[in-house]
């Protein structure tokens, strides 16, 4: 991944400057997800794949 990858903090993360959060970045048509406390571990997904995961996890 490039140093220019821009990570966005999830709006459902711990408030303020909390380090407990999920971050997402869009690069080269792929969505990338990471946990803020383990920034070197990244999961890549398509938009459809991420939407399916969210639908599955939501009650």
């Amino acid at each position: 991944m490039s140093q220019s990858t821009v990570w966005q903090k999830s709006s459902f993360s711990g408030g303020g400057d909390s380090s407990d959060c999920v971050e997402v970045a869009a690069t080269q048509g792929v969505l990338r997800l990471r946990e803020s406390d383990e920034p070197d571990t990244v999961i890549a997904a398509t938009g459809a794949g991420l939407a399916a995961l969210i639908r599955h996890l939501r009650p």
Side-chain angles (χ1 to χ4, degrees):
M1 257 174 302
S2 164
Q3 291 289 56
S4 63
T5 301
V6 177
W7 292 94
Q8 181 177 350
K9 187 177 189 177
S10 169
S11 61
F12 289 100
S13 297
D17 291 327
S18 171
S19 63
D20 299 332
C21 65
V22 173
E23 298 171 320
V24 64
T27 57
Q28 301 172 353
V30 176
L31 297 173
R32 301 185 188 283
L33 300 143
R34 71 181 184 182
E35 181 71 28
S36 61
D37 61 350
E38 291 191 40
D40 293 330
T41 302
V42 178
I43 298 171
T46 63
L50 181 57
L53 174 64
I54 292 169
R55 280 192 304 273
H56 178 75
L57 295 175
R58 290 179 101 178

